[in-house]
Amino acid sequence: MLKKLLPEGIKREERTKKLNEAMRGVKPAICVERAKLLTESYKQTEGAPNILRRAYALTHVLKNMTIFIDEDELIVGNHASKPRSAPLFPEFGSFDKKELDLMPVRNVDTLQITEEDKKYLLEEIYPWWKNKNTGDMARYYIDDKIMEVLNSQYRVFDPISRTRSGYGHYIPNIETVLKKGFAGLEKEAKEHIENLDILDHDYTEKIHFYKSVLIIIEGVKCFSERYAALARKMAGETDDTRRKKELELIASVCDRVPYYPAESYYEALQSYWFTILIDYISQNGSAISAGRFDQYIAPYYDKDIADGVLVREEARELLEALWVKHSDVIKAGTFSSARNNGGFATTINVVLSGVGKDGNDATNDFSYLCLDAESSVFNSEPNVSIRVSKNTPDKFIERVLEILVEKEGGKLPLFNDDAIIDALVKDKASLEDARDYAIVGCVEPTPSGNTMGITNACYFNLAKCLELALNDGVCAFSGQQMGPKTGKAEDFTSFEHILKAYETQVRYFTDMMVSSLNSIEILHSKFGQHIFCSMLLDGCMENGRDCTEGGAKYNYIGVQGVGVQDVGDSLTAIKKAVFEDKLVTMQELLDALQSNFTNNEILKHRLINKIPKYGNDIDEVDDMVAWAAEQYCACFDDKYDFRGGKFRPGLFCLSSNTPLGRQVAALPSGRESGTPLADGGVSPKHGMDTNGPTAAAKSVAKLNHDRAVNGVNFNLKFIPTILKTEEDKHKLIDLIRAYFSLGGFHIQFNILTQEKLIDAQKHPEKHRSLVVRVAGYSAFFVELDRDIQNEIIARTVQQVS
Amino acid sequence: MNAENARTITGTVFDIQRYSIHDGPGIRTIVFLKGCPLSCKWCSNPESQAYEPQVFYVKSKCIGCGLCERSCPNNEVKLTEDGLLIDWKAINASKDLSWVNVCPTGALGVKGEKMTAQEVFDIVMRDKVFYDQSGGGLTLSGGEPLVQSEFALELLKMLHDAGVNTAIETTGAVDKKVLLDVLPYTDLFLYDFKHWDNEIHKKYIGASNSHIKENLKMLAEKKANILVRVPVIPGVNDTEKFVSKVISELKEYGIDKLALLPFHQYGSGKYVSCGMTYEMQDFKPPAEDKIEELRKIISDAGFSNK
């Protein structure tokens, strides 16, 4: 079919391939330009209220940063001065020389940096920000006693990266931008200013907020206009008639969006991209997510198709060009943070399908087109999530499975609409907002466009708490008193003593975590105002209050318990081996743990093989894991932050189970010291779920997912041969639907071969495109830490005959 | 159902496999029962053939701790540098294998456990939610599951009464009466058929096929739901001629469902694990396109493969 919008001369597949190869071919690097521009602005605004300084700084960046339009691009807008480069955010924290030196040589999230840039940062930029960035200032906010605990090498939780990370993990209201444009928001801000009462005790703060909004909108308008001008200039300079026409189209689109409302499909896509991109340029956040992309873009797609000004194939061409763009956004983290999250996990989550606000299935033609684009591009970004309700067509899920088999790489997690909507309503969201939920980051469901999510504020090491409970609060590695004295385990006369000691340890540290995160949020609200995002979270504009200060309709802080499976398996082992079957005495068990089983190898094997393990649909142990999950979640029942937001517990870990495992000594489950904790938050421990996927799914569903409303992660790895036929696919869909009927929130399939992974580890150059999900998000496999690669390889392959 | 029977009738089970997706409709649990009247050389479950529980040794899991050597009553096992040396004759004659349980890794284990019908029923019912969603259920397999006829009948009855779809994977080499007994409680017979030629059948299977044919005919006459499954063994029955013959015979019986199970080598390691000799290492699995050709003949003849 002939194109109606784009000029002829290149096929979709060809363009997508070129764009994708160019993006994948980039060696990620550090870009110092943002740091330079931001610092320039801050130097000029000393003395001004911080919120205005933030606004001026962003606008200064948007007006002056390098912009470019790459060959064959249709959707424009770059994150840094070069493709796939990480801008720096000195207002949130600096990197010392050691970290910078490590960046080009570290084995995860490797980033190139020139000696000149390094020198510039260390001599010009960071010295000015010393004690002015949130990372440095955190010590004045976090309680002294807690700070002392956090200064140790061994920790139960570590909120320090949150002090440096800025705001992320929320879903801006893109629909507002598409419908009103920033012009509409500008008008609203002016009206609010008109209507403010000078006697209002919040008058000064509100006027600062609205002024900041106006400053930023000026920057946003200028940003897109610069692209329009650049495209025109390039159109004038090229001899290629096709490219000339494309550049003229780009220019006319950038003339209008995102300032004016989108009037076409092309404008809607470009407006979306500028909005998401500017949010990422604003500050150091990750997982700023797209929300229900197929819902808010579909009307523009439908209209253009119906009007005969667009054909499906070119709609797909534009969509794929946009899809590739998502890989442009990467952030620079410390080595430790990169190891936790791994693989440049920006995690821009794009959600497809599910029910509409009216409760009916909302899967549409455009949802399928998004899957087509995903199958063509298939990078770690965007992180595409699928909402599945009882009424989601099988056909849609079949297409998802087809892509997974074809790509042999796990992406496209499935989320259970019916259970999640119920849980959100229980969590005090309105029914309409609950039905309109989307996924933030990896697995975190929140309402869309009205929620300050911060859904991944901190990980909490539950397995470490068990280690402490068995050692009277003493860290097995450092020998120091880390937690409260809960008694010597060898003196415990009943199993209940262990449970009690464990509960006390968990309570002690969750309270500390809540306190420290609250301190950090206060710090951020004073120095890290996020006005751009406030325009796009319902409630802030009406309230005249920044989202960091509680302006949004819903406010959360998400805290993840990690290792609930190791805890449940270990408690079961103690209960059976020590108290019931008297396989060993507590003293013998403790001695074995202390020696990391070197003094009793046989005991280790018995504990692994003869004691039931979570993931096999055995109530005794599954109930223990469920107990540990409930106990963790209950710690937050009455915990609120200073914004009035709820602390929301989750049970997922991305790849943090590996670094967190390094902090935990040997456990009664038979797990050796320093080895990874169970992956995926609620997935069975790798290799332990020997009763197959239905048993694993049932075990997982015994945990009350409602309580872990910030999200859970259940990974199931399949070898591709079990999905050979249509019938096989249907049976897997039945597995998913039955698991969902039991209340499971999430399921993620990794469909791949072990040989393939081992080969990828040996020959990364041959497998650059291999995308693997690590516990709930996706990443390029070859960019992952080797330990994490090994962990993925070791995960159970569900052999099905 | 008779609660007393459920608790008293026992069977010898060597495996229960959940999420089985290639043995009947929907998502199924296969219960494997021990004992088989045949001894096909290509059998991929050699541990299914003997009727009694037997020792099974997986060398890769052995850590060489020697606990078994110290615990076995009559020197049945000996630890060497290359894993265990097992006196299979002695160990298979042994009545009490409880000492095997000392093995901490499960390298040395017992295949075959006495379980009551109620115990097995309870495990099968754990996946009820998956059967309800997919139309799946129980598949009884073996060995020849109908060798333990009383147990099989009880289990089929119980699950049938609980609204679970039931299937039996059978060799047909059993008494006619047994088949008639289970018929009312069996939604699908997965009926293995190896060869139409009795001489070849005897050579590879060690038994005549006439009885198997008669039973098949009888079930067809009783309007049982039958899917005939032919294990395709290279050089034995992998020809178009053979398949065409099967088709014409089945048509006469009024059977219209026929599937092929290509021979594979996955079971070879298990022969070593139970001290048996594997004779099929030189047989290559049939080529995929060969199987497709044969399948086409079947579908062209109007047969369904499920």
Side-chain angles (χ1 to χ4, degrees):
Chain A
M1 196 185 290
L2 288 177
K3 293 180 181 181
K4 293 192 171 160
L5 174 69
L6 300 172
E8 299 288 348
I10 184 169
K11 280 193 174 145
R12 170 188 59 79
E13 299 91 320
E14 204 183 324
R15 184 194 305 275
T16 301
K17 190 163 176 258
K18 277 181 164 176
L19 291 174
N20 219 4
E21 276 177 0
M23 187 62 85
R24 289 175 179 180
V26 175
K27 261 192 171 178
I30 289 285
C31 166
V32 299
E33 186 177 70
R34 183 190 178 279
K36 174 175 170 285
L37 292 169
L38 181 95
T39 310
E40 268 171 24
S41 172
Y42 265 80
K43 281 181 179 170
Q44 285 164 13
T45 58
E46 260 177 302
N50 203 77
I51 190 167
L52 287 170
R53 299 183 79 185
R54 302 276 311 137
Y56 282 124
L58 174 57
T59 291
H60 187 63
V61 172
L62 294 175
K63 284 183 173 175
N64 294 289
M65 67 179 272
T66 304
I67 63 164
F68 54 84
I69 297 172
D70 266 340
E71 214 175 316
D72 290 317
E73 279 194 324
L74 292 173
I75 301 294
V76 300
N78 47 288
H79 186 220
S81 62
K82 292 194 183 101
R84 208 160 156 73
S85 291
L88 296 175
F89 300 81
E91 71 271 41
F92 291 102
S94 56
F95 293 109
D96 59 18
K97 181 162 187 310
K98 206 175 131 206
E99 280 283 356
L100 291 173
D101 285 343
L102 199 56
M103 279 182 187
V105 293
R106 65 192 191 185
N107 60 1
V108 57
D109 290 9
T110 313
L111 286 159
Q112 305 305 313
I113 181 167
T114 64
E115 284 306 314
E116 193 191 339
D117 283 349
K118 220 188 276 180
K119 192 162 176 271
Y120 176 66
L121 288 170
L122 293 170
E123 290 177 10
E124 308 272 329
I125 298 294
Y126 290 147
W128 191 83
W129 283 99
K130 194 169 163 53
N131 295 326
K132 293 190 192 101
N133 66 63
T134 53
D136 286 356
M137 289 188 284
R139 65 179 187 276
Y140 298 112
Y141 286 80
I142 298 173
D143 177 75
D144 290 344
K145 260 190 278 167
I146 298 177
M147 208 60 210
E148 212 174 289
V149 173
L150 296 177
N151 279 333
S152 155
Q153 192 189 342
Y154 298 98
R155 306 181 188 105
V156 171
F157 66 99
D158 182 4
I160 297 302
S161 71
R162 172 75 194 107
T163 68
R164 309 166 48 98
S165 71
Y167 281 89
H169 292 88
Y170 54 81
I171 303 160
N173 195 336
I174 304 283
E175 203 174 349
T176 295
V177 180
L178 299 182
K179 284 187 174 161
K180 297 181 187 172
F182 282 92
L185 291 164
E186 187 176 47
K187 189 163 157 273
E188 276 174 29
K190 285 179 178 164
E191 282 165 9
H192 280 297
I193 292 174
E194 283 293 305
N195 295 331
L196 280 184
D197 178 354
I198 54 167
L199 293 179
D200 184 346
H201 70 281
D202 287 338
Y203 175 79
T204 313
E205 278 170 354
K206 285 183 177 170
I207 201 90
H208 287 162
F209 173 76
Y210 290 121
K211 275 188 180 170
S212 303
V213 165
L214 294 177
I215 292 165
I216 285 183
I217 291 175
E218 187 204 329
V220 169
K221 185 159 184 274
C222 175
F223 190 59
S224 57
E225 284 170 356
R226 290 177 65 207
Y227 280 96
L230 176 63
R232 280 210 174 84
K233 181 167 167 278
M234 289 170 72
E237 288 165 0
T238 182
D239 296 330
D240 179 338
T241 52
R242 170 181 66 86
R243 189 58 183 157
K244 192 188 208 57
K245 277 186 193 156
E246 286 171 3
L247 287 162
E248 282 163 359
L249 263 177
I250 291 170
S252 66
V253 167
C254 294
D255 280 341
R256 293 195 35 83
V257 295
Y259 186 70
Y260 296 107
E263 287 183 344
S264 68
Y265 171 73
Y266 194 166
E267 285 182 10
L269 294 187
Q270 181 63 61
S271 187
Y272 156 81
W273 180 244
F274 273 138
T275 307
I276 285 280
L277 180 70
I278 294 169
D279 211 337
Y280 277 105
I281 292 170
S282 298
Q283 43 89 60
N284 195 19
S286 61
I288 297 162
S289 295
R292 306 192 69 184
F293 185 80
D294 66 339
Q295 301 302 307
Y296 57 72
I297 300 289
Y300 299 91
Y301 168 76
D302 291 343
K303 182 172 183 298
D304 283 5
I305 294 278
D307 289 351
V309 296
L310 181 77
V311 296
R312 195 180 194 276
E313 183 67 5
E314 64 190 337
R316 182 168 169 187
E317 188 168 345
L318 282 162
L319 193 57
E320 290 178 359
L322 169 65
W323 234 244
V324 174
K325 270 305 226 181
H326 289 82
S327 296
D328 189 45
V329 179
I330 58 168
K331 300 281 178 184
T334 59
F335 181 48
S336 130
S337 142
R339 271 165 88 115
N340 271 342
N341 300 316
F344 289 120
T346 308
T347 47
I348 307 171
N349 203 310
V350 168
V351 174
L352 305 179
S353 188
V355 302
K357 286 183 188 174
D358 58 2
N360 295 323
D361 174 48
T363 315
N364 55 48
D365 261 6
F366 185 65
S367 315
Y368 286 91
L369 195 73
C370 290
L371 285 185
D372 290 344
E374 172 65 6
S375 90
S376 304
V377 177
F378 210 75
N379 290 330
S380 60
E381 303 291 337
N383 189 17
V384 180
S385 295
I386 311 298
R387 282 180 49 170
V388 175
S389 80
K390 282 193 189 80
N391 297 322
T392 302
D394 276 0
K395 199 178 136 203
F396 193 73
I397 309 174
E398 275 166 37
R399 177 76 182 116
V400 170
L401 296 178
E402 192 181 284
I403 296 171
L404 289 178
V405 173
E406 189 187 308
K407 300 292 175 186
E408 291 191 1
K411 273 193 82 182
L412 304 170
L414 304 167
F415 291 87
N416 179 356
D417 260 17
D418 305 291
I420 289 175
I421 290 168
D422 280 355
L424 290 173
V425 168
K426 268 190 211 161
D427 200 42
K428 306 276 191 310
S430 73
L431 179 60
E432 202 175 72
D433 286 340
R435 282 175 175 163
D436 204 33
Y437 84 90
I439 302 301
V440 174
C442 309
V443 298
E444 307 99 282
T446 80
S448 305
N450 52 20
T451 305
M452 184 75 256
I454 319 178
T455 56
N456 197 7
C458 205
Y459 295 118
F460 186 91
N461 195 334
L462 290 159
K464 185 75 184 173
C465 290
L466 182 65
E467 177 205 307
L468 294 172
L470 292 172
N471 291 296
D472 199 15
V474 174
C475 171
F477 294 116
S478 69
Q480 283 171 354
Q481 189 73 40
M482 195 170 165
K485 283 179 173 281
T486 43
K488 290 194 185 310
E490 54 268 40
D491 300 335
F492 291 164
T493 51
S494 78
F495 179 61
E496 280 63 39
H497 281 141
I498 309 268
L499 295 182
K500 197 88 210 133
Y502 169 74
E503 279 183 294
T504 306
Q505 299 291 343
V506 172
R507 276 272 170 195
Y508 176 78
F509 287 105
T510 52
D511 284 355
M512 274 194 181
M513 176 167 69
V514 164
S515 167
S516 61
L517 287 175
N518 207 9
S519 306
I520 293 166
E521 290 312 314
I522 290 171
L523 164 69
H524 278 301
S525 75
K526 292 190 189 303
F527 299 97
Q529 291 92 344
H530 191 9
I531 310 103
F532 182 77
C533 159
S534 296
M535 287 186 249
L536 306 176
L537 291 183
D538 297 355
C540 299
M541 286 291 277
E542 294 87 322
N543 296 326
R545 193 187 301 160
D546 195 68
C547 60
T548 63
E549 292 166 359
K553 185 173 179 185
Y554 301 104
N555 292 281
Y556 304 136
I557 295 180
V559 284
Q560 284 41 275
V562 179
V564 78
Q565 313 95 314
D566 300 272
V567 170
D569 281 348
S570 292
L571 288 172
T572 306
I574 297 171
K575 184 164 167 256
K576 290 194 78 77
V578 178
F579 290 100
E580 287 175 4
D581 302 349
K582 313 245 188 258
L583 196 67
V584 282
T585 65
M586 184 64 94
Q587 189 61 59
E588 283 165 344
L589 177 63
L590 294 171
D591 290 347
L593 296 181
Q594 203 186 3
S595 79
N596 193 20
F597 298 110
T598 52
N599 76 344
N600 198 343
E601 189 82 3
I602 287 170
L603 177 62
K604 178 183 81 182
H605 289 288
R606 286 220 168 103
L607 291 169
I608 292 173
N609 296 299
K610 305 277 170 162
I611 307 280
K613 293 289 178 289
Y614 172 67
N616 294 293
D617 192 17
I618 299 167
D619 290 341
E620 185 179 21
V621 55
D622 294 345
D623 290 349
M624 201 68 90
V625 175
W627 174 85
E630 169 59 28
Q631 194 267 331
Y632 174 72
C633 294
C635 290
F636 305 97
D637 277 347
D638 50 354
K639 302 293 193 296
Y640 293 87
D641 73 358
F642 82 104
R643 288 185 288 258
K646 242 186 129 285
F647 277 85
R648 294 213 309 175
L651 296 168
F652 63 88
C653 61
L654 310 203
S655 53
S656 71
N657 60 314
T658 302
L660 261 56
R662 292 191 191 108
Q663 300 252 331
V664 183
L667 291 176
S669 60
R671 174 197 156 279
E672 288 178 25
S673 176
T675 58
L677 302 177
D679 112 286
V682 298
S683 309
K685 183 104 177 165
H686 62 76
M688 294 298 172
D689 49 340
T690 51
N691 282 354
T694 55
K698 276 195 73 194
S699 288
V700 170
K702 285 178 206 172
L703 276 59
N704 196 346
H705 295 198
D706 269 19
R707 296 285 276 143
V709 67
N710 198 47
V712 304
N713 190 323
F714 172 31
N715 294 331
L716 205 51
K717 182 159 136 186
F718 283 106
I719 48 173
T721 48
I722 79 132
L723 275 173
K724 263 188 177 164
T725 66
E726 287 304 303
E727 204 185 336
D728 295 343
K729 251 183 252 165
H730 271 271
K731 291 185 183 182
L732 191 58
I733 292 173
D734 284 330
L735 172 81
I736 296 164
R737 291 203 190 271
Y739 162 69
F740 280 180
S741 77
L742 297 171
F745 266 19
H746 162 280
I747 190 164
Q748 160 70 46
F749 301 107
N750 274 6
I751 300 171
L752 34 86
T753 58
Q754 289 200 324
E755 297 81 33
K756 184 162 180 169
L757 291 178
I758 292 163
D759 191 53
Q761 207 175 28
K762 280 188 198 144
H763 307 286
E765 72 285 359
K766 284 198 306 193
H767 297 272
R768 277 194 315 190
S769 68
L770 180 64
V771 178
V772 173
R773 282 193 77 91
V774 187
Y777 77 106
S778 53
F780 288 116
F781 180 81
V782 298
E783 289 179 355
L784 295 172
D785 184 319
R786 200 177 171 87
D787 281 0
I788 291 168
Q789 290 179 345
N790 287 338
E791 150 81 0
I792 294 170
I793 292 169
R795 250 184 253 161
T796 311
V797 176
Q798 293 285 357
Q799 291 278 2
V800 174
S801 60
Chain B
M1 105 186 61
N2 182 328
E4 183 58 29
N5 280 352
R7 279 194 304 274
T8 53
I9 297 176
T10 63
T12 308
V13 178
F14 74 87
D15 201 4
I16 297 180
Q17 187 179 287
R18 294 162 73 169
Y19 198 68
S20 294
I21 56 173
H22 299 132
D23 297 275
I27 295 171
R28 311 189 74 81
T29 297
I30 306 189
V31 174
F32 292 92
L33 302 186
K34 259 177 98 42
C36 189
L38 308 181
S39 46
C40 312
K41 293 190 190 317
W42 53 79
C43 179
S44 61
N45 290 328
E47 75 278 31
S48 74
Q49 295 175 5
Y51 290 72
E52 290 305 313
Q54 72 192 94
V55 166
F56 195 84
Y57 173 58
V58 183
K59 192 175 150 195
S60 61
K61 285 194 192 170
C62 180
I63 54 167
C65 67
L67 278 177
C68 52
E69 188 181 46
R70 294 197 287 281
S71 308
C72 62
N74 301 307
N75 302 319
E76 291 93 337
V77 296
K78 195 171 154 34
L79 182 64
T80 72
E81 287 201 350
D82 189 32
L84 296 181
L85 193 66
I86 299 175
D87 180 346
W88 286 105
K89 226 179 200 166
I91 215 164
N92 284 336
S94 169
K95 285 270 174 259
D96 181 11
L97 294 173
S98 56
W99 60 270
V100 170
N101 200 32
V102 298
C103 175
T105 66
L108 199 64
V110 175
K111 287 284 174 190
E113 187 187 344
K114 295 265 183 223
M115 296 176 79
T116 66
Q118 186 67 47
E119 282 169 335
V120 176
F121 173 83
D122 289 345
I123 293 174
V124 174
M125 286 300 280
R126 297 196 79 92
D127 275 354
K128 179 80 163 41
V129 65
F130 298 98
Y131 313 146
D132 289 348
Q133 174 67 40
S134 66
L138 164 79
T139 298
L140 268 188
S141 181
E144 167 51 62
L146 294 177
V147 161
Q148 301 187 37
S149 57
E150 198 189 13
F151 178 73
L153 176 61
E154 184 61 24
L155 201 53
L156 289 166
K157 258 189 200 169
M158 289 169 80
L159 284 153
H160 181 83
D161 290 350
V164 172
N165 182 285
T166 55
I168 307 179
E169 214 161 11
T170 180
T171 60
V174 292
D175 275 355
K176 179 180 166 188
K177 184 183 174 305
V178 174
L179 285 167
L180 284 171
D181 284 348
V182 298
L183 179 58
Y185 311 103
T186 304
D187 296 312
L188 173 67
F189 287 88
L190 298 161
Y191 203 104
D192 261 33
F193 199 86
K194 279 89 176 176
H195 213 284
W196 225 264
D197 184 306
N198 203 17
E199 288 315 304
I200 298 176
H201 197 273
K202 278 186 194 161
K203 179 178 167 198
Y204 284 95
I205 289 123
S208 154
N209 69 5
S210 56
H211 183 48
I212 294 171
K213 276 194 214 171
E214 278 163 30
N215 278 336
L216 180 60
K217 196 170 173 198
M218 183 275 294
L219 281 176
E221 277 163 7
K222 298 275 177 194
K223 304 286 178 222
N225 182 18
I226 306 166
L227 169 64
V228 171
R229 302 205 295 185
V230 174
V232 182
I233 315 299
V236 179
N237 63 2
D238 62 339
T239 62
E240 286 161 32
K241 196 175 147 207
F242 171 75
V243 170
S244 302
K245 170 81 176 156
V246 173
I247 288 171
S248 64
E249 295 279 347
L250 291 184
K251 272 188 177 161
E252 260 178 48
Y253 289 9
I255 291 172
D256 58 359
K257 288 190 273 193
L258 174 61
L260 302 179
L261 300 177
F263 165 76
H264 59 76
Q265 297 270 12
Y266 298 159
S268 59
K270 295 205 273 187
Y271 282 81
V272 183
S273 286
C274 39
M276 292 165 68
T277 315
Y278 186 57
E279 294 173 22
M280 299 289 285
Q281 50 275 73
D282 297 335
F283 282 65
K284 290 230 159 33
E288 202 134 316
D289 47 352
K290 175 87 192 170
I291 291 291
E292 281 316 311
E293 270 172 40
L294 299 178
R295 284 192 173 134
K296 191 163 180 307
I297 298 174
I298 294 170
S299 60
D300 286 351
F303 276 71
S304 155
N305 65 356
K306 54 184 144 187

